[in-house]
Amino acid sequence: MDDEEFWGNDPKALQNTEWEKISNDFTNAGYREGITAGKEGALQEGFDDGFASVGAPLGRDLGILRGLSSALLAFLSRAPGPPSIATDPRVAEVRAIATELSNVRLSDIAPPDLQALAHAREHLDGEGRDRDARMDDEDDVTDPAELNEALKAKRDMESLEDLMAQMGGVIEGAGADARLKPARPTAEDVARLKERLLAIARELGLGIAVQWS
Amino acid sequence: MDFDLEDLVNVEQTFYEDGYKDGFAHGRIHGLIEGRALGREKGFEMWEELGFYEGFALMWKAILDAQGAQDERAQNHIRHLLELIQQFPRVNPSTAVAENEAAGSSSELDIPRLFRQIRSRYKVFCAALGIRPTLRAADNSSSSPDREAMHDDLSGTDMEPTPSSTDRVKPERRKVWALHNPRADNVQGGGTELNF
């Protein structure tokens, strides 16, 4: 409605805007309080879910792989025996596997949070546009580092590690490619490392009884 | 006139409650997402370390078995280490402890103590093998020789809650942290290590 109409002698219109203002003010106030309460009430539930369904099983399996390779490497490299042992290609192979495993991070192998993806899509679709107006800060919920200071600090540290690794690569005289962001390992890479490691163990006649998560 | 005023108050209340309900549902989604991100991180951190000890023990067990070695001592270390790890909950330990207590279970679940036992059992085992323990376990022994410090290790200053939004939610949030349960602070001095 234009000003003319708005300020015209229509008390009804004025009443309606008053009414809308009251409605909005109180609804918004309730919404803000509700958001805080709802969020706090759900944090623990989310934490327990993330711990049990993703963090613990992924961490355990990766930890086991690291433990297996660490023990095998220690065994192979200290084994007294013919000199051929020292030059056993398997030592280098296990060492390479251990090194690659040590480079893996949770963010490399964690599945995406489906609820976060779905919720981000909702925001994009504008379904929650009027709700967003009531949110003080709307972070990218699909990026863990945007959710929490501690997680952000961790990601910053990892970025620094990446940077230093890159610099190391450049010093070693690698070409322009080294300046590109190095590819992060994936869950598939970890699965391949696992196969390689277990194959070596089999070759050596070692029967490992792991109950994977 | 009186009637009108009261009506208006009720209407304000209704608006507020409608808004609260919608906000609560929306906030809940955000709480779940943030909590899940934190829980993934903590669960990964704890179990990556425990898994390392587990894999380490399993590989040595396989090696000793393959060699047909009659090393009772080493086998003993391995068995104990695996048993201890087996006892460690795969869910958020704070919740596991709370549920354990709620169920009135007689078997006490003392997470910081269990973690200490696992670490020291691993280190003793390494010593028996003549192998240097991983840096992680070595760090823990040098920087935190006593129980209290070890407990601090677990609750992790690195994962101290740093609320993303506001400070006012801090007290409530503390309980999110895996090992910030009051019982954990009371366990120092209880029992000696490795007395299973």
Side-chain angles (χ1 to χ4, degrees):
Chain A
M1 71 180 82
D2 59 26
D3 286 359
E4 190 75 15
E5 197 182 330
F6 187 92
W7 294 112
N9 287 333
D10 188 356
K12 199 84 181 165
L14 195 59
Q15 257 176 18
N16 279 344
T17 36
E18 277 297 309
W19 184 250
E20 265 171 41
K21 186 174 148 29
I22 291 174
S23 156
N24 272 333
D25 283 358
F26 280 89
T27 310
N28 287 351
Y31 197 87
R32 272 194 299 271
E33 299 277 316
I35 277 223
T36 309
K39 188 171 176 181
E40 280 175 25
L43 272 172
Q44 184 70 56
E45 185 183 335
F47 185 94
D48 290 355
D49 177 35
F51 190 107
S53 63
V54 174
L58 287 187
R60 178 170 172 267
D61 282 6
L62 183 64
I64 288 176
L65 286 175
R66 287 173 175 167
L68 290 173
S69 57
S70 167
L72 187 56
L73 188 59
F75 168 66
L76 287 177
S77 42
R78 74 161 194 179
S84 66
I85 289 275
T87 54
D88 190 335
R90 280 177 298 211
V91 176
E93 166 79 345
V94 175
R95 182 169 286 125
I97 291 171
T99 305
E100 283 195 54
L101 285 172
S102 70
N103 188 31
V104 179
R105 297 168 184 157
L106 172 61
S107 53
D108 296 327
I109 53 176
D113 184 331
L114 294 180
Q115 186 179 28
L117 290 182
H119 193 59
R121 210 156 33 232
E122 252 180 55
H123 280 300
L124 278 182
D125 291 351
E127 194 179 305
R129 201 164 36 214
D130 56 329
R131 293 184 298 172
D132 280 352
R134 304 188 185 111
M135 290 283 282
D136 292 338
D137 54 336
E138 191 58 44
D139 297 323
D140 177 6
V141 292
T142 59
D143 182 357
E146 293 298 321
L147 293 171
N148 183 279
E149 296 284 331
L151 296 179
K152 176 146 194 338
K154 181 158 183 277
R155 208 223 356 220
D156 290 347
M157 183 57 81
E158 287 177 352
S159 303
L160 194 62
E161 282 171 19
D162 286 347
L163 191 65
M164 288 174 59
Q166 265 173 284
M167 286 165 66
V170 172
I171 287 164
E172 277 162 32
D177 285 351
R179 242 157 281 161
L180 297 172
K181 213 174 164 76
R184 295 297 312 163
T186 62
E188 289 73 38
D189 292 333
V190 174
R192 271 192 291 275
L193 291 171
K194 176 177 166 181
E195 285 316 310
R196 279 164 68 190
L197 185 64
L198 294 179
I200 295 172
R202 271 195 303 275
E203 256 180 66
L204 293 166
L206 304 174
I208 307 156
V210 181
Q211 287 172 317
W212 302 99
S213 298
Chain B
M1 204 54 190
D2 275 357
F3 177 74
D4 277 348
L5 255 180
E6 197 176 317
D7 209 29
L8 194 61
V9 168
N10 280 338
V11 130
E12 289 171 351
Q13 184 69 18
T14 310
F15 286 144
Y16 180 89
E17 277 165 12
D18 282 354
Y20 188 92
K21 216 173 76 210
D22 288 353
F24 192 91
H26 191 188
R28 185 175 151 73
I29 294 173
H30 281 258
L32 285 174
I33 293 171
E34 181 177 341
R36 202 151 39 221
L38 292 167
R40 283 177 166 202
E41 205 66 49
K42 192 70 189 171
F44 184 84
E45 183 189 305
M46 286 185 119
W47 267 103
E48 191 275 326
E49 179 175 350
L50 293 165
F52 180 91
Y53 303 144
E54 188 174 350
F56 187 86
L58 287 172
M59 180 57 87
W60 275 110
K61 184 170 163 20
I63 290 168
L64 293 177
D65 286 351
Q67 289 179 330
Q70 299 297 314
D71 191 342
E72 258 322 301
R73 228 160 61 92
Q75 293 281 11
N76 217 21
H77 284 310
I78 291 170
R79 199 168 50 246
H80 274 287
L81 186 53
L82 291 176
E83 273 172 17
L84 288 171
I85 295 167
Q86 201 68 38
Q87 290 174 33
F88 206 95
R90 307 249 183 116
V91 298
N92 178 8
S94 301
T95 309
V97 167
E99 276 169 6
N100 208 35
E101 278 174 356
S105 171
S106 54
S107 65
E108 284 231 341
L109 197 50
D110 184 342
I111 298 301
R113 179 157 168 264
L114 186 55
F115 218 131
R116 282 194 305 272
Q117 286 176 316
I118 291 170
R119 280 177 173 151
S120 51
R121 180 58 76 166
Y122 162 73
K123 276 180 275 183
V124 170
F125 178 43
C126 282
L129 291 168
I131 289 173
R132 208 141 45 97
T134 58
L135 206 55
R136 175 172 40 201
D139 279 352
N140 288 327
S141 72
S142 59
S143 66
S144 53
D146 59 64
R147 290 164 174 278
E148 188 153 9
M150 208 56 136
H151 165 239
D152 284 342
D153 259 1
L154 288 181
S155 40
T157 47
D158 55 329
M159 292 294 281
E160 196 63 25
T162 36
S164 59
S165 39
T166 51
D167 282 345
R168 68 178 182 280
V169 299
K170 206 161 188 171
E172 275 84 356
R173 286 195 170 196
R174 290 192 73 82
K175 71 174 183 293
V176 172
W177 299 93
L179 291 162
H180 269 303
N181 58 76
R183 278 195 65 256
D185 296 325
N186 297 329
V187 294
Q188 289 99 36
T192 49
E193 296 213 354
L194 306 174
N195 62 345
F196 254 66

